[in-house]
Amino acid sequence: MTTAPHVWYAAYGSNMHASRFDYYRLGGTPPGTGHTYPGFVDRTAPADVAALTLPGSLYFAWQSPVWTGGVAFYADHPAPGWPTGVAARGYLITVGQFADLLAQEMYRTPGASFDLPRVLAAGVLRLGSGRYETVLHAGTRDGIPILAFTAPWDPETVVLQRPSARYLAMIGAGLRESHGWDTDRIVDYLRVRPGVAGNWDPRELRRALTGDRFAERPLG
């Protein structure tokens, strides 16, 4: 077991794909974007990686200028009727690396400290009003805390947004890589998630996950 001050970072969106996560860790400009990430102060690779399942709900909201559509958020207290059980990828990283990841998600400079005991004591810690500034203690694995971050929005009033084909394809790639799922299982998982349900026909969702650009056509 790792004895250094580590946490499991639970990625449930595009960061499930290791190459995408590495832009935060190593720095650089992801393809198709104009934003350059500075990278972690400590660029050491994760000490371990694991498939995780979080107990809340996955939903899609906001309007990302990078992904041109809704992006993934985690609700620890879902709205009534939302499907629960969120597939995630756990990266075992230091507390400092988690702080640098959190900073870059909000376009801030890495290097700030992070008060892990405060998060563990409260269970939920709102660091700001930003879309990824609410940190959740989502359980433990091997005695090490699992942390995720999300938005502070009320799931019952949030405005859901249709995610783009490109974003869904990235999540699909992450699910294949981290959980070993095939396309059928990924379609079944995503098609009922708020923001996807009613906005993506399952056939077009399948095309999005396999790279067919025809899938960009919305319903209606």
Side-chain angles (χ1 to χ4, degrees):
M1 179 184 296
T2 299
T3 56
H6 281 66
V7 297
W8 288 101
Y9 157 54
Y12 52 82
S14 60
N15 280 348
M16 283 191 290
H17 198 290
S19 63
R20 179 70 183 184
F21 172 73
D22 273 348
Y23 283 102
Y24 291 90
R25 182 173 68 90
L26 301 174
T29 306
T33 77
H35 181 72
T36 299
Y37 295 95
F40 293 170
V41 174
D42 173 7
R43 301 188 179 191
T44 305
D48 199 2
V49 181
L52 303 176
T53 301
L54 306 181
S57 289
L58 177 74
Y59 69 96
F60 295 85
W62 194 54
Q63 186 69 22
S64 169
V66 172
W67 295 107
T68 62
V71 290
F73 295 95
Y74 178 69
D76 58 333
H77 293 92
W82 281 14
T84 57
V86 177
R89 186 172 205 175
Y91 296 95
L92 188 59
I93 58 178
T94 69
V95 173
Q97 288 176 319
F98 182 82
D100 289 350
L101 174 66
L102 188 62
Q104 290 179 92
E105 282 285 8
M106 293 307 301
Y107 303 115
R108 298 193 178 104
T109 302
S113 61
F114 180 74
D115 191 348
L116 178 61
R118 187 180 172 196
V119 175
L120 299 183
V124 179
L125 183 62
R126 184 173 174 179
L127 301 174
S129 60
R131 63 194 178 279
Y132 288 125
E133 287 188 299
T134 298
V135 182
L136 306 172
H137 179 206
T140 60
R141 180 183 172 90
D142 299 330
I144 298 172
I146 299 171
L147 300 185
F149 44 73
T150 188
W153 307 322
D154 181 350
E156 295 195 39
T157 60
V158 68
V159 178
L160 302 173
Q161 293 285 351
R162 176 185 185 270
S164 68
R166 187 166 63 95
Y167 187 66
L168 291 173
M170 180 66 74
I171 290 179
L175 289 168
R176 291 187 187 96
E177 192 177 272
S178 60
H179 286 256
W181 289 2
D182 61 16
T183 300
D184 287 342
R185 186 164 183 183
I186 296 170
V187 169
D188 286 344
Y189 173 74
L190 290 175
R191 67 183 177 84
V192 296
R193 307 296 149 176
V196 175
N199 287 323
W200 277 96
D201 178 89
R203 293 169 298 177
E204 295 190 349
L205 176 57
R206 177 180 296 276
R207 294 187 184 103
L209 295 170
T210 54
D212 190 332
R213 298 303 294 174
F214 172 73
E216 288 286 3
R217 188 183 71 196
L219 291 179

